[in-house]
């Protein structure tokens, strides 16, 4: 009797590094074009065409980098934690590679969110940094990313490194709801969420539409960067496999 | 267009430094996220091809 398969077929295909290498090779150009168009279009729209805020003036335009990078820093973390869980439960090598590849991108997004927040804070709050709940929990997110990266580079054995970083990533998930609700649970300088799934945004459409374009552009960009890193990781770990030899010989 | 002239666009109503600093940093981080994996990719392929050639010579 055949073994019962609990997950859809693509889930099992994802477990094959070779299949992942091929499918990401086909997806990369599409995501690259989408990311390029969305980010350039969104940036021009954000900087030159979106209206200035009636209170904050033009410094408000920083939101078009700040919000997408902050959203992505958290989404990338969730992806990393899910990949970590899959790697721990199903011993899936590709999931380990996704975890390792997502960490530096997520860390750079956390840096961008914190830095643009600080730059925005100066003209708006009069201070680069305050030890406020939202800012502090975001800083912890950056440290979690750095922890995952450090574990991966410090532990020589690949599967031990993957297990250790998966456990850290999963424990750190507790920080994600803290970031999200920090603006509601504590008194904070930080304004509440810009986008909510259940409500209409509090800003006019000319302001939030370019923001939505930037958010989608950042997601596409993340996909591109993640696939690039993942493909490197696949080639490295499968370097003894026959299909990688063939690839290397062909080019 | 929410600006009347290019110099107005650059000054961002007095907040030019903050806005352009943010966008400069954003561009730098995004570009780094593409260039670093690309460089790693080139290095990896060169090294692995060299290893393959070496192994074939030994054989």
């Amino acid at each position: 009797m055949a073994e019962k398969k609990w997950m859809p077929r693509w889930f099992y295909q994802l477990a094959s590094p070779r299949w992942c290498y091929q499918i990401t090779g086909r997806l990369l150009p599409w995501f690259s074009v989408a990311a390029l168009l969305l980010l350039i279009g969104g940036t021009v729209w954000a900087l030159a065409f979106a209206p200035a805020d009636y209170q904050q003036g033009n410094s408000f335009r920083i939101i078009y980098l700040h919000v997408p990078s902050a959203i992505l820093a958290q989404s990338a973390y969730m992806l990393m934690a899910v990949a970590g869980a899959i790697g721990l439960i199903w011993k899936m090598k590709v999931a380990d590679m996704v975890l390792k590849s997502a960490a530096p991108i997520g860390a750079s997004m956390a840096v961008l969110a914190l830095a643009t927040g600080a730059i925005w804070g100066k003209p708006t709050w009069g201070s680069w940094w305050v030890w406020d709940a939202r800012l502090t929990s975001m800083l912890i997110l950056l440290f979690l990313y750095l922890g995952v990266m450090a574990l991966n580079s410090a532990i020589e054995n690949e599967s031990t490194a993957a297990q250790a970083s998966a456990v850290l990533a999963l424990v750190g998930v507790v920080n994600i709801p803290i970031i999200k609700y920090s603006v509601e649970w504590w008194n904070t300088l930080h304004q509440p969420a810009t986008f909510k799934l259940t409500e209409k945004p509090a800003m006019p459409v000319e302001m939030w539409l370019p923001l939505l374009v930037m958010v989608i552009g950042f997601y596409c960009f993340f996909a591109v960067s993640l696939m690039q890193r993942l493909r490197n990781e696949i080639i490295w770990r499968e370097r003894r496999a026959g299909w990688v030899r063939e690839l290397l010989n062909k080019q | 267009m929410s600006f009347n002239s290019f110099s107005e666009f650059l000054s961002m109503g007095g907040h030019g430094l903050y806005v352009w600093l943010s966008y400069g940093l954003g561009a730098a981080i995004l570009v780094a996220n593409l260039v670093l994996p690309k460089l790693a990719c080139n290095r990896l392929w060169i090294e692995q091809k060299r290893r393959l050639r070496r192994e074939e010579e030994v054989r």
Side-chain angles (χ1 to χ4, degrees):
Chain A
M1 210 168 73
E3 195 190 339
K4 181 126 173 70
K5 299 271 199 238
W6 294 98
M7 293 298 219
R9 199 166 77 104
W10 58 263
F11 185 79
Y12 294 95
Q13 284 176 321
L14 274 179
S16 151
R18 184 182 186 179
W19 187 82
C20 275
Y21 191 84
Q22 286 164 346
I23 193 83
T24 51
R26 277 206 296 269
L27 290 175
L28 250 178
W30 298 102
F31 276 99
S32 307
V33 170
L36 191 73
L37 293 179
L38 288 167
L39 287 180
I40 290 179
T43 306
V44 172
W45 195 352
L47 281 174
F49 293 93
D53 186 74
Y54 77 103
Q55 278 181 325
Q56 301 182 10
N58 286 306
S59 68
F60 140 88
R61 295 181 196 282
I62 296 172
I63 199 176
Y64 297 107
L65 278 183
H66 180 70
V67 167
S69 57
I71 291 180
L72 196 59
Q74 294 168 70
S75 301
Y77 194 89
M78 288 310 292
L79 174 78
M80 211 172 72
V82 169
I86 293 175
L88 284 179
I89 298 167
W90 283 280
K91 303 268 172 281
M92 201 185 268
K93 267 198 218 160
V94 176
D96 298 345
M97 300 184 210
V98 169
L99 187 156
K100 189 181 174 186
S101 309
I105 314 172
S108 72
M109 288 300 133
V111 167
L112 184 57
L114 286 167
T116 51
I119 296 170
W120 194 6
K122 186 63 188 163
T124 315
W125 303 335
S127 162
W128 298 102
W129 182 264
V130 283
W131 289 103
D132 155 292
R134 171 59 74 87
L135 280 70
T136 309
S137 54
M138 203 61 197
L139 189 65
I140 292 172
L141 183 74
L142 173 62
F143 290 155
L144 284 168
Y145 275 125
L146 296 180
V148 168
M149 287 164 71
L151 278 179
N152 262 310
S153 66
I155 303 176
E156 194 85 7
N157 182 300
E158 275 161 5
S159 64
T160 317
Q163 276 179 4
S165 46
V167 170
L168 176 61
L170 283 169
V171 171
V173 167
V174 72
N175 190 41
I176 295 290
I178 295 180
I179 297 177
K180 181 161 170 46
Y181 293 107
S182 56
V183 286
E184 293 168 25
W185 291 343
W186 290 285
N187 276 325
T188 154
L189 270 178
H190 198 282
Q191 61 199 33
T194 311
F195 284 131
K196 285 183 189 150
L197 286 176
T198 47
E199 289 168 38
K200 273 176 70 170
M203 5 164 149
V205 65
E206 312 91 273
M207 279 185 175
W208 67 254
L209 205 55
L211 184 54
L212 189 64
V213 170
M214 287 299 271
V215 170
I216 300 171
F218 264 69
Y219 271 110
C220 290
F221 173 85
F222 174 69
V224 171
S225 189
L226 181 69
M227 286 193 274
Q228 276 186 315
R229 284 181 190 273
L230 180 63
R231 284 161 69 81
N232 289 349
E233 201 62 33
I234 291 175
I235 292 291
W236 169 248
R237 295 204 199 177
E238 298 288 303
R239 61 192 182 279
R240 313 258 171 226
W243 68 273
V244 175
R245 275 167 189 275
E246 268 172 44
L247 261 185
L248 289 167
N249 278 330
K250 243 188 286 174
Q251 286 199 2
Chain B
M1 262 302 199
S2 38
F3 299 97
N4 297 318
S5 69
F6 190 66
S7 58
E8 219 176 89
F9 176 62
L10 285 183
S11 81
M12 285 281 163
H15 287 143
L17 176 67
Y18 304 114
V19 173
W20 295 113
L21 195 61
S22 297
Y23 278 81
L25 189 70
I29 287 183
L30 291 190
V31 168
N33 262 317
L34 294 179
V35 170
L36 292 180
K38 182 66 194 153
L39 291 177
C41 178
N42 293 347
R43 210 166 41 233
L44 178 68
W45 278 75
I46 290 170
E47 278 171 13
Q48 292 308 310
K49 274 189 206 163
R50 196 178 294 149
R51 178 184 62 86
L52 264 191
R53 265 202 309 274
R54 230 178 11 240
E55 284 176 4
E56 263 151 37
E57 277 163 21
V58 170
R59 224 172 279 153

